[in-house]
Amino acid sequence: MEPSLILDPASARGLLQGHKTQLRVAAGHRLGELAQGARIYGREPCAPGRMQNGSELLTDLARADFVVFADGWRRARDGTGWQGRPPLDPNEMWIGALHMPAWACRIVLELRDLRKEYLHDVTPDALRAEGLIPLIGGLLWHWPKPVPGLHLSARRAFAANWDITHPVPGLRWADNPQVLVLDVKLAG
């Protein structure tokens, strides 16, 4: 399952709902070598599960018949899926996105365009394409759940989330790194 990209729950939800059509990654990322039309597989944290006596039971990956994502969606080994309740216990057996099995992938993206820019060059339209949601006519901004917080501008909201996901010196918002901008759509 290559090439792939690790997705946080908010990005996954935004992509699935069509609110998010752009992704930014650090320049030099291996995705920068892709051609237009390439497919990118989204990797997400998940919890492995199986059915036992008619009930769902979370288990280890080797015995899993399906996985559960943070939003409650289940994906079976045969590719079928269904909505259920999100896992509520923080002690569930979560698997990091990097270790998600290929059969569990529910997000496949098609690369429409790829370009380089500096992080601070992000435009208001690009912020919406990143999945930011305006409230009260754009007076406040927030990310899709589960990312908390309201911000007075889309730029501040984007910067705050960027720093959470890119805390390494040289990649932070204040460092204004060069990034790859991937324009994507769900592959059909």
Side-chain angles (χ1 to χ4, degrees):
M1 182 173 69
E2 292 296 326
S4 64
L5 185 64
I6 293 176
L7 299 171
D8 61 84
S11 292
R13 175 177 280 138
L15 288 163
L16 289 169
Q17 293 177 345
H19 302 296
K20 186 172 181 65
T21 58
Q22 283 188 1
L23 297 160
R24 281 171 172 68
V25 296
H29 194 285
R30 68 188 186 290
L31 294 178
E33 300 169 8
L34 296 179
Q36 191 173 11
R39 291 165 95 67
I40 303 167
Y41 295 86
R43 292 181 170 272
E44 306 170 69
C46 57
R50 62 186 166 95
M51 297 300 287
Q52 183 174 330
N53 300 326
S55 298
E56 288 184 357
L57 172 70
L58 293 183
T59 186
D60 60 281
L61 189 56
R63 295 185 292 170
D65 296 324
F66 62 90
V67 295
V68 181
F69 296 102
D71 62 3
W73 185 258
R74 274 88 167 135
R75 174 88 175 189
R77 284 185 184 265
D78 66 6
T80 59
W82 65 96
Q83 185 66 45
R85 73 163 181 78
L88 302 175
D89 184 351
N91 297 319
E92 302 287 7
M93 300 176 68
W94 286 97
I95 295 172
L98 188 61
H99 302 290
M100 182 190 88
W103 58 263
C105 182
R106 65 174 175 163
I107 298 176
V108 180
L109 303 171
E110 181 182 320
L111 182 63
R112 295 188 299 187
D113 189 34
L114 177 68
R115 66 184 181 283
K116 284 185 181 180
E117 68 181 29
Y118 285 94
L119 187 59
H120 290 187
D121 293 340
V122 65
T123 65
D125 286 340
L127 291 170
R128 283 180 186 259
E130 278 281 353
L132 278 159
I133 301 169
L135 297 173
I136 314 171
L139 293 175
L140 294 173
W141 292 81
H142 74 95
W143 284 97
K145 291 180 181 178
V147 178
L150 296 174
H151 302 273
L152 295 176
S153 74
R155 193 171 181 84
R156 285 183 186 177
F158 180 77
N161 190 62
W162 181 270
D163 281 346
I164 289 169
T165 57
H166 299 83
V168 178
L171 291 181
R172 297 174 298 205
W173 174 261
D175 301 325
N176 193 23
Q178 193 172 42
V179 295
L180 296 172
V181 181
L182 293 84
D183 284 305
V184 297
K185 69 175 185 175
L186 286 174

